[in-house]
Amino acid sequence: MEPVREFVIGISGESGEGVVLAGEILTIAAARMNIHSSSFRTFPAEARGGPSVVRLRLCRDHVYSLGDAYDVLIAFNEEAYQLHGPALGRHGVLVVDGDPEKPMSTRYPELADRTVYHIPMDRIARKDVGEPKTKNMVALGATSALFGFSREILERLLAEKFTKRGEKMMRDNLNAFMAGYDYADSQIEKQDPFEVEALEGDGFFVLAGNEAVALGALYAGCRFFAGYPITPASEIMEVLAAELPKVGGAMVQAEDEIASMGMVLGGGFAGVRSMTATSGPGLSLMAELIGLGSMAEIPCVIANVQRGGPSTGLPTKTEQADLTLAIAASHGDAPHVVLAATTIRDCFEIMEEAFEIAERYQIPVIVLTDQALGFRRADLPKSLLRERTGRALPPAPPDIVDKARYLRYQLTQDGVSPRSVPGQPGLAHVVTGLEHNEEGKPAYDPKTRRLMMEKRQRKLEGIARDYGSVLRYGDPEPEIGVIGWGSTGGPIREAVQMACDSGIKAAGLVPRLLYPSPNHLIRPFIESCKKIVVIEGNLTGQYAAFLRSQFPGFDPKQVNLYDGLPVQRGDVLRAIQEVAK
Amino acid sequence: MNPTAPAQASTAERKPSDYRSGRKPVWCPGCGDYGVLNSVFSALAEVRIDPDRLVVVSGIGCSSRMPGFIKAYGFHGAHGRAVPVAVGVKAANPSLDVLLVGGDGDAFSIGGGHLPHVARRNMDLTYVVMDNEIYGLTKGQTSPTSQPGTVTKASPYGSSEQPILPVMLLLAYGATFVARGYSSRPKELAVMVERGIRHKGFSFIHVLSPCLTFNKPVNFDYFDSKVLPLPEDHKPDDLFGAMKLASDPDKLYLGVHYEVDRPSFTERLYPGGVRPDPEPAIDTEALIRRYS
């Protein structure tokens, strides 16, 4: 049988059974074997109880989505199979906790022509290891043996993982892993083609989107973070809470999201690259102060990891429904910027752009990601970090000859005025949320009002021009165009390729700068396609509506998914095929 | 603000007038805030604060216009959010001196949720709250410190709510410096502000500062009849004693009710209370190990 090197594993069980840990360890093991991966975990909103699943896609090249059906499903119990079995592919393999003497296929006729490996995970953990909680390690051992993961690498990884948890914990987990491995190795006759193979290289490191946002900020020179705990964004705060003090930075856990945003304005005003991270409910609370940042022209970055809304909505699930809020974000006409990260790597890289735009244009920048990106893990090359110093120079004082006549809000062609920060001698000024004149003094006369409104708004032109970034995939002369944003970017990239491979002339466009809209880059795409689909993870088609406002007469087909699950490449492919009919 | 690690206090001698921005205050004639502003000028000069390293932060309200009248960096922000902005300035760059100013509505109503947290963090900030027991900028509505029965357009039948006791509140929140001053006693107030600035951690100064336009009954005569000095035997580290004094709504004691020494936020955050210079480099290899 020809081995299949690229496949999708699902690991499922009750929350609390160690499903997530097993998945994380397997992901890192793959990275050490130079195997690319994309993985995702879902879990219930409650801290404990309920079903939990990790999806791990393994490939020989970097991948941009989670793939389609499971090729291999590891079920820690029968209920997990009942729940996730429907997502198992037609030629998929089931590895399940159970007695080989009582095969699952007698109870589940759909398993009759599939490969099922019964591993007595629970029994081995209880009887052989003597610690029922190590069931996940038994499963990990069996999985490693069955699908070609390096025993050596995993044993070393487990030793590293458990060394701080005490000797008994380490021994039990290692024993469980080896018992699972040995059982599968000696008792199971492999009948499936799925088997990974170690490749050459110096390995990858693996980040979830939230970790990538945090490290991206760190390497972009962010040295102040204020935030309030919220699912699914808290990991950004947690990573920076650990890392910022090491580099002379500071993190404050604020009393609420309004305070977080206020603190970030304070940090930005003080001349330190500052950010907060939140999710929809928090962004709603921050709206007023984002307007203050726009009015007082203070650099700041807000990462918003979208979850299902409105209200408390679906805290642990994904959606792309904060776009309209992000673009509006304040009362009044308050120019600011909205970026959307498209992949895990982009979560890292986009932070550099966000801080650069914020500082150069003295403007609040919202970075949209979502739970689907925040919790998805992917491999990244080590060079991504190694080629950066991660240091931002403190803002240089503006070159002002006659300091007595320094105008903080001087009217300029590009709307950007000379900015000094506290500590710079002779350039003290007062910023205010009131309308103000060039000096910064409150002023309400109609002329000043008009000039200042226009000055602030002008900054958007430069931003759209200089930072207008879109990703384009597929056929150069497409029949069908797909437009999406944020976490749908990866699935669009892969689905467009699959459509092209099947003979459909398809192309994809994924803008990263959503507002101000880089219309000069979007228009040629729209004009080049015969039919256009806008696919996004919300009910009403927020980006489609925005594009309609930008391009009169533009009338795309809308595909909207709002079930809390990530948009998959299969969803995109179906949309393309539907339009191609 | 921490006298043991002052990147802030310069050695050059300063005059109160050095801190005048030249902008004319927008307050009504007779407003108590004029006296407070003068006390702030005196205190800044006494500590010899470098105006280029000073940030005055406020929210919205009549008294919140104060940053514009002080020659320093200033942040006149959003209603109720002076505290978070000041926390951000100080946490991001602890070598700056940060002075918070504002009124009772800004501090105790819309911004009231921030007070317990800035106090328990013991952030190195001095907060001067000018209390006129009314919303003046919006032309006279009751504030959290208005007396019961206060008649305004929004409370035509007289306010039925009890006023909060600001000094009591801050004592309960764990503030490490709590004082009360009076705008018609500017010298005494200046010393209080100066002590607050020198205090390590969070210092709160409740200032009686009447609004003669929109709260006519609560005028200088009214406060004159209620203020009195702290009892001579009151010890500033006696929390329960301070609370007892603060709990009497009819006696407004003037002076430093409470002062204790506790590590400040920036002291715990940065060794020596200042950001390391040069900034330590990111340990890239350690990060790669952590995630691989």
Side-chain angles (χ1 to χ4, degrees):
Chain A
M1 196 171 0
E2 192 68 27
V4 174
R5 303 297 191 196
E6 305 195 333
F7 53 98
V8 179
I9 299 183
I11 307 173
S12 59
E14 272 294 300
S15 165
E17 280 188 313
V19 168
V20 170
L21 180 66
E24 278 173 9
I25 291 174
L26 211 54
T27 308
I28 297 291
R32 290 192 184 182
M33 294 169 72
N34 293 294
I35 298 163
H36 297 266
S37 70
S38 175
S39 62
F40 190 68
R41 62 200 157 111
T42 54
F43 51 81
E46 294 70 28
R48 289 237 168 262
S52 201
V53 63
V54 175
R55 163 188 276 266
L56 171 61
R57 181 179 175 202
L58 300 157
C59 282
R60 281 182 292 189
D61 286 312
H62 188 78
V63 286
Y64 299 90
S65 82
L66 290 162
D68 306 308
Y70 296 125
D71 298 300
V72 174
L73 180 65
I74 319 289
F76 282 21
N77 49 54
E78 208 170 311
E79 293 72 32
Y81 170 71
Q82 289 166 357
L83 203 59
H84 301 288
L88 184 62
R90 209 144 49 88
H91 305 288
V93 179
L94 175 68
V95 181
V96 63
D97 178 29
D99 187 346
E101 304 299 315
K102 298 176 194 156
M104 291 270 283
S105 52
T106 58
R107 276 160 288 152
Y108 301 93
E110 74 275 14
L111 288 173
D113 57 352
R114 282 184 168 116
T115 305
V116 181
Y117 302 128
H118 296 83
I119 311 279
M121 301 173 189
D122 200 49
R123 201 197 70 206
I124 293 174
R126 272 173 209 287
K127 299 247 171 82
D128 301 353
V129 184
E131 177 48 79
K133 282 187 192 155
T134 61
K135 184 177 173 181
N136 61 337
M137 291 300 127
V138 176
L140 186 66
T143 306
S144 303
L146 288 167
F147 304 104
F149 288 89
S150 157
R151 178 173 185 151
E152 267 175 14
I153 283 177
L154 272 149
E155 282 181 6
R156 201 175 322 131
L157 198 48
L158 290 175
E160 292 167 21
K161 197 99 198 162
F162 290 106
T163 181
K164 284 183 198 146
R165 314 271 288 269
E167 203 172 310
K168 181 181 184 302
M169 188 107 168
M170 167 127 114
R171 202 177 50 235
D172 285 349
N173 278 285
L174 267 173
N175 284 343
F177 172 82
M178 289 188 281
Y181 193 100
D182 290 339
Y183 182 91
D185 202 31
S186 59
Q187 307 292 314
I188 307 273
E189 192 190 334
K190 188 167 167 75
Q191 293 160 338
D192 69 273
F194 303 111
E195 193 168 6
V196 292
E197 180 187 42
L199 299 168
E200 288 295 312
D202 75 339
F204 312 113
F205 72 112
V206 177
L207 292 184
N210 281 344
E211 293 162 343
V213 166
L215 294 189
L218 188 72
Y219 278 83
C222 172
R223 290 298 177 269
F224 180 62
F225 179 95
Y228 186 77
I230 187 167
T231 304
S234 299
E235 291 81 5
I236 298 172
M237 174 166 78
E238 288 164 0
V239 170
L240 288 171
E243 299 307 324
L244 281 174
K246 295 180 192 167
V247 294
M251 174 279 196
V252 179
Q253 184 180 320
E255 52 270 30
D256 55 46
E257 285 92 347
I258 299 177
S260 308
M261 192 60 222
M263 290 177 193
V264 168
L265 291 179
F269 175 73
V272 176
R273 291 194 170 192
S274 302
M275 76 172 286
T276 183
T278 189
S279 187
L283 187 65
S284 297
L285 287 177
M286 291 173 185
E288 186 198 4
L289 290 186
I290 292 171
L292 172 58
S294 178
M295 188 66 153
E297 305 195 43
I298 295 167
C300 56
V301 174
I302 303 108
N304 183 61
V305 186
Q306 298 164 99
R307 68 190 213 186
S311 188
T312 311
L314 296 173
T316 61
K317 299 210 164 192
T318 201
E319 201 164 79
Q320 295 184 291
D322 294 349
L323 177 65
T324 306
L325 171 66
I327 291 175
S330 167
H331 58 283
D333 289 315
H336 63 276
V337 179
V338 181
L339 292 164
T342 56
T343 60
I344 307 303
R345 182 177 178 139
D346 202 17
C347 285
F348 181 93
E349 289 176 333
I350 209 162
M351 295 309 289
E352 212 162 24
E353 281 168 66
F355 277 100
E356 197 181 303
I357 296 171
E359 189 154 311
R360 192 172 149 200
Y361 285 90
Q362 306 168 21
I363 201 167
V365 178
I366 298 172
V367 176
L368 293 177
T369 73
D370 56 26
Q371 186 262 1
L373 276 176
F375 285 15
R376 184 161 80 81
R377 285 187 147 71
D379 60 275
L380 296 166
K382 293 174 180 173
S383 59
L384 192 67
L385 301 187
R386 284 179 179 150
E387 69 200 12
R388 288 170 165 82
T389 66
R391 221 187 278 264
L393 293 174
D399 191 13
I400 307 287
V401 183
D402 181 2
K403 284 185 178 174
R405 299 175 72 178
Y406 167 54
L407 296 173
R408 167 65 185 92
Y409 297 106
Q410 192 180 358
L411 295 168
T412 58
Q413 205 159 18
D414 61 0
V416 180
S417 312
R419 168 174 175 255
S420 64
V421 302
Q424 291 173 348
L427 297 168
H429 62 271
V430 180
V431 301
T432 175
L434 286 171
E435 189 55 277
H436 44 266
N437 61 17
E438 289 184 272
E439 190 193 323
K441 192 179 168 188
Y444 316 133
D445 64 278
K447 187 182 170 201
T448 304
R449 169 66 170 173
R450 267 198 316 275
L451 289 173
M452 282 295 157
M453 290 288 281
E454 288 159 9
K455 164 198 140 58
R456 289 187 294 267
Q457 194 71 15
R458 268 203 301 282
K459 297 194 277 189
L460 298 184
E461 294 163 22
I463 294 167
R465 183 191 63 229
D466 297 348
Y467 294 92
S469 155
V470 298
L471 305 170
R472 194 198 181 284
Y473 308 111
D475 199 294
E477 288 170 8
E479 299 267 330
I480 295 164
V482 188
I483 299 179
W485 59 278
S487 64
T488 54
I492 286 175
R493 179 179 183 151
E494 291 187 2
V496 161
Q497 189 56 52
M498 290 160 90
C500 289
D501 290 347
S502 74
I504 302 174
K505 286 163 79 73
L509 187 83
V510 184
R512 295 169 69 251
L513 176 66
L514 300 185
Y515 188 85
S517 184
N519 288 350
H520 60 294
L521 302 174
I522 297 173
R523 181 176 288 110
F525 181 82
I526 289 179
E527 286 171 355
S528 74
C529 302
K530 290 210 174 77
K531 291 178 192 165
I532 291 194
V533 184
V534 178
I535 185 164
E536 50 190 324
N538 58 49
L539 173 68
T540 54
Q542 297 185 3
Y543 193 51
F546 176 76
L547 289 176
R548 283 193 179 99
S549 78
Q550 300 294 305
F551 301 101
F554 177 56
D555 190 26
K557 178 182 163 59
Q558 278 181 222
V559 176
N560 298 94
L561 296 105
Y562 41 89
D563 55 5
L565 302 174
V567 173
Q568 296 292 353
R569 66 177 186 183
D571 300 319
V572 184
L573 188 59
R574 267 190 302 280
I576 296 173
Q577 287 164 343
E578 193 67 29
V579 177
K581 268 183 201 163
Chain B
M1 304 181 201
N2 180 0
T4 60
Q8 52 269 41
S10 56
T11 49
E13 204 162 308
R14 309 264 178 194
K15 298 188 297 295
S17 59
D18 291 351
Y19 299 93
R20 281 186 194 279
S21 73
R23 266 190 222 167
K24 208 169 154 281
V26 286
W27 299 319
C28 304
C31 177
D33 295 350
Y34 286 102
V36 184
L37 179 60
N38 283 328
S39 301
V40 167
F41 288 148
S42 302
L44 293 172
E46 199 58 43
V47 192
R48 301 182 177 186
I49 298 269
D50 177 354
D52 287 321
R53 305 200 65 82
L54 172 63
V55 180
V56 186
V57 181
S58 69
I60 296 296
C62 291
S63 53
S64 286
R65 294 294 289 269
M66 193 179 274
F69 316 135
I70 300 175
K71 192 181 157 194
Y73 283 88
F75 195 118
H76 175 229
H79 196 25
R81 312 305 163 205
V83 166
V85 169
V87 168
V89 171
K90 187 68 186 179
N93 186 355
S95 67
L96 299 170
D97 280 302
V98 185
L99 178 67
L100 266 158
V101 293
D104 42 304
D106 202 55
F108 306 130
S109 190
I110 188 168
H114 305 302
L115 287 175
H117 308 286
V118 70
R120 71 189 175 86
R121 281 182 196 116
N122 205 24
M123 263 335 275
D124 310 57
L125 307 165
T126 299
Y127 195 2
V128 176
V129 177
M130 286 154 263
D131 187 355
N132 54 14
E133 305 188 0
I134 203 79
Y135 283 83
L137 191 66
T138 47
K139 303 194 190 305
Q141 297 82 20
T142 60
S143 92
T145 52
S146 294
Q147 299 303 314
T150 300
V151 174
T152 69
K153 281 187 184 168
S155 56
Y157 309 111
S159 150
S160 58
E161 289 154 339
Q162 276 296 313
I164 58 147
L165 302 169
V167 170
M168 184 70 156
L169 208 60
L170 271 290
L171 289 169
Y173 288 158
T176 54
F177 181 103
V178 184
R180 181 184 287 124
Y182 181 21
S183 72
S184 83
R185 311 253 174 108
K187 280 189 185 151
E188 202 181 317
L189 177 58
V191 173
M192 248 175 253
V193 176
E194 182 202 331
R195 276 180 69 180
I197 292 172
R198 292 190 195 276
H199 174 75
K200 182 179 73 183
F202 182 64
S203 49
F204 174 83
I205 301 153
H206 179 227
V207 185
L208 311 171
S209 181
C211 170
L212 305 186
T213 307
F214 293 107
N215 201 7
K216 292 196 165 71
V218 182
N219 51 27
F220 287 103
D221 291 342
Y222 170 88
F223 281 130
D224 284 342
S225 72
K226 284 200 161 191
V227 296
L228 67 171
L230 281 168
E232 272 178 24
D233 60 348
H234 174 62
K235 304 236 175 355
D237 63 347
D238 176 5
L239 179 63
F240 291 112
M243 283 183 161
K244 194 149 182 274
L245 295 170
S247 66
D248 188 340
D250 293 318
K251 290 183 179 145
L252 297 171
Y253 291 99
L254 300 179
V256 178
H257 289 57
Y258 188 64
E259 182 173 19
V260 286
D261 183 63
R262 234 183 34 220
S264 74
F265 187 88
T266 49
E267 197 177 41
R268 275 172 287 144
L269 193 63
Y270 305 103
V274 288
R275 274 187 82 180
D277 184 32
E279 176 183 303
I282 298 175
D283 188 345
T284 292
E285 295 310 314
L287 279 174
I288 288 173
R289 277 196 302 279
R290 184 174 163 197
Y291 293 104
S292 63

